[in-house]
Amino acid sequence: MAPLALMRATEARCRRRQTVQRWRKDYAVPDALGALADRLAPAAKRQFLAALAKVQRAVNLTALAEALASGSIIRVDQVLQFQHFATDLQPLIQTIRQVFAAAGTLTATRLAAQLGSDLSFTLTNPRAVHWAATSGSQLVTHITETTRAGIRTVIEEGFTLGRAPRESARLIREMVGLTDPHARAVEAYRAELLAAGRSSADVARLTKRYTDQLINLRARTIARHETLSASHQGQQETWRQAVDRGLLAPEKTQRRWSTANDDRLCDICAPM
């Protein structure tokens, strides 16, 4: 990079950093909500991976190969024991609910100080109860169905290529947790390695590594998205409870954009 361009890039980074610092000072609650999500996201990621690991450990390769040979998707589903997946995901759901409650309490504390009231976040509010009940079931359904879609991709690819049922069973066990696009990416990568003349051992090792990377990416994405979403929902529920008590008037409130409070914050979004 030319010296002038480097200097301008450095100045731009400094301006963004100063903007972030001002943002953190002026809007402490959104910043704190992000910190809350950041703090609990690693636990959510571990819990998602642990649920997948339980499914993988429970797979009986012989039974799965027989189910594949029968051509019955229902039998494959039974062998994979997805009926237990919802139970395995409960620690993740509890963490998401913990974020929701903590965000609501944090927002209520800050808002009460600003309004000079005794506002507190109430988890027994019907809306809060409804969110806790429906968000968990929706997340479990989404994870289960997208995981099933990834497995169907592996099954279909195995049939197309004439892959032996035992080999397909082994690959399915390894790839439990991938979405359909991820599973297709792994299959494409495997095909490239085979076309390049790589040994069977290399193909198995490299595709396993790629699979693990994609599963880790999915775990991180789910954890980050769900903890952030729960923190924002907790904040909004606190605002609704404040409206219920007559402490906030929606027609007199002003909306502000909440931008990312990091060094990626650009000069265009910073004033929003």
Side-chain angles (χ1 to χ4, degrees):
M1 183 181 292
L4 182 58
L6 179 61
M7 182 178 68
R8 288 175 176 172
T10 301
E11 290 175 348
R13 284 196 298 271
C14 289
R15 285 197 301 272
R16 285 195 295 270
R17 191 171 293 110
Q18 290 169 355
T19 302
V20 168
Q21 291 171 348
R22 289 197 303 272
W23 190 93
R24 287 173 173 166
K25 178 180 179 181
D26 295 339
Y27 307 108
V29 170
D31 192 36
L33 293 179
L36 173 65
D38 287 341
R39 180 166 57 85
L40 291 177
K45 176 185 174 182
R46 289 192 300 272
Q47 290 156 350
F48 174 76
L49 291 174
L52 292 182
K54 288 187 70 173
V55 174
Q56 291 174 332
R57 287 195 301 269
V59 172
N60 183 310
L61 285 180
T62 300
L64 182 55
E66 292 174 353
L68 289 168
S70 73
S72 171
I73 296 297
I74 294 177
R75 283 189 60 185
V76 171
D77 206 49
Q78 290 173 341
V79 172
L80 292 174
Q81 301 184 45
F82 273 118
Q83 66 271 25
H84 303 308
F85 201 27
T87 300
D88 298 336
L89 288 170
Q90 284 310 302
L92 169 63
I93 302 306
Q94 291 303 318
T95 294
I96 301 305
R97 290 172 178 167
Q98 181 183 350
V99 174
F100 174 74
T105 300
L106 174 63
T107 304
T109 300
R110 300 290 180 86
L111 189 58
Q114 293 174 358
L115 299 176
S117 71
D118 60 348
L119 176 67
S120 61
F121 180 69
T122 306
L123 269 175
T124 55
N125 180 283
R127 280 190 310 267
V129 172
H130 177 74
W131 183 91
T134 58
S135 63
S137 61
Q138 289 171 355
L139 179 58
V140 168
T141 299
H142 172 72
I143 291 175
T144 302
E145 291 307 312
T146 51
T147 300
R148 279 187 171 127
I151 290 171
R152 284 195 295 268
T153 296
V154 182
I155 294 173
E156 292 168 2
E157 191 70 12
F159 287 150
T160 300
L161 297 175
R163 189 179 287 154
R166 183 77 181 186
E167 175 64 10
S168 286
R170 182 186 65 79
L171 294 176
I172 287 171
R173 183 172 64 179
E174 288 182 359
M175 295 169 66
V176 166
L178 294 183
T179 62
D180 172 57
H182 287 165
R184 293 184 186 279
V186 171
E187 291 288 6
Y189 182 50
R190 178 180 290 107
E192 290 177 4
L193 292 172
L194 291 170
R198 302 297 290 266
S199 68
S200 298
D202 279 350
V203 172
R205 175 177 57 83
L206 292 171
T207 54
K208 177 64 166 61
R209 184 174 67 182
Y210 186 37
T211 297
D212 290 344
Q213 289 172 346
L214 290 177
I215 289 176
N216 191 64
L217 172 63
R218 188 186 184 199
R220 187 167 65 249
T221 301
I222 287 174
R224 179 62 175 165
H225 176 270
E226 295 303 326
T227 51
L228 274 176
S229 177
S231 67
H232 294 154
Q233 289 297 324
Q235 180 188 56
Q236 291 179 27
E237 175 55 30
T238 299
W239 291 341
R240 295 187 187 103
Q241 292 183 17
V243 170
D244 292 343
R245 293 185 52 185
L247 299 174
L248 284 180
E251 68 277 5
K252 295 181 181 180
T253 58
Q254 183 179 10
R255 177 178 298 176
R256 290 182 182 272
W257 288 101
S258 179
T259 52
N261 58 331
D262 56 29
D263 290 340
R264 294 173 295 178
L265 182 64
C266 71
D267 296 333
I268 296 175
C269 295
M272 298 174 66

